[in-house]
């Protein structure tokens, strides 16, 4: 028996997510591949940029529209999403930390003046 940390619901021992609230049980994910939501892009273009950036750095990325049943042919299918173009960007749990660092580095780069010919990555 496993008690959900979020809602207190009782789940089976081998449950991956809470059957009631969807909470992900982290303690069993040590060596289990899992997609983690890294960031929500405001449109597909932004999502593609992030995806390419991460893939260039060897991070496996999955992009997915939030919300079930969304379809391009019915733009009003999910009005809660607001602008119809949002994309969720998922990375593997193992890559989450690295992906966050890559994104942060990219963001701080964009604030500078675009003259970034020197890529001095700190080697470990
Ligand atoms: Zn729960």
């Amino acid at each position: 028996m496993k008690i959900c940390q979020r809602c207190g619901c009782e789940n089976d021992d081998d449950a991956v997510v809470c059957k009631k609230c969807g909470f992900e049980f982290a303690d069993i994910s040590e060596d289990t591949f899992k997609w983690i939501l890294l960031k929500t892009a405001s449109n597909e273009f932004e999502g593609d940029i992030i995806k390419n950036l991460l893939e260039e750095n060897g991070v496996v990325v999955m992009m997915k529209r939030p919300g079930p049943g969304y379809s391009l042919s019915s733009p009003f299918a999910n009005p809660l999403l607001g602008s119809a173009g949002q994309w969720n960007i998922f990375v593997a749990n193992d890559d989450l930390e690295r992906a966050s660092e890559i994104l942060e580095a990219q963001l701080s780069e964009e604030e500078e003046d675009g003259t970034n010919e020197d890529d001095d990555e700190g080697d470990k």
Side-chain angles (χ1 to χ4, degrees), residues 3-11 17-23 25:
I3 307 294
C4 174
Q5 298 166 38
R6 187 198 274 165
C7 73
C9 176
E10 293 174 357
N11 288 267
V17 298
C18 174
K19 63 186 175 189
K20 190 176 174 193
C21 74
F23 181 81
F25 298 120

Side-chain angles (χ1 to χ4, degrees), residues 6 10 16-17 21 28 30 33 47 54 58 63 67 77-78 83 92 96-97 109 112 122:
R6 187 198 274 165
E10 293 174 357
V16 178
V17 298
C21 74
I28 54 155
E30 201 62 33
F33 180 87
L54 293 174
M63 271 172 53
N78 194 343
S83 67
L96 181 62
E97 205 173 318
E109 229 171 62
E112 289 165 19

Side-chain angles (χ1 to χ4, degrees), residues 45-109:
F45 181 69
E46 184 189 342
D48 266 338
I49 291 174
I50 295 169
K51 183 170 184 276
N52 289 335
L53 174 71
L54 293 174
E55 284 181 344
E56 277 172 16
N57 288 275
V59 176
V60 181
V61 180
M62 175 180 73
M63 271 172 53
K64 203 176 171 186
R65 283 186 184 276
Y70 181 88
S71 112
L72 278 174
S73 57
S74 55
F76 304 111
N78 194 343
L80 291 178
L81 290 179
S83 67
Q86 288 195 339
W87 286 82
N88 284 339
I89 297 164
F90 292 84
V91 297
N93 47 343
D94 283 348
D95 287 335
L96 181 62
E97 205 173 318
R98 196 152 57 98
S100 304
E101 284 171 8
I102 293 167
L103 273 192
E104 274 175 32
Q106 173 73 5
L107 287 177
S108 56
E109 229 171 62

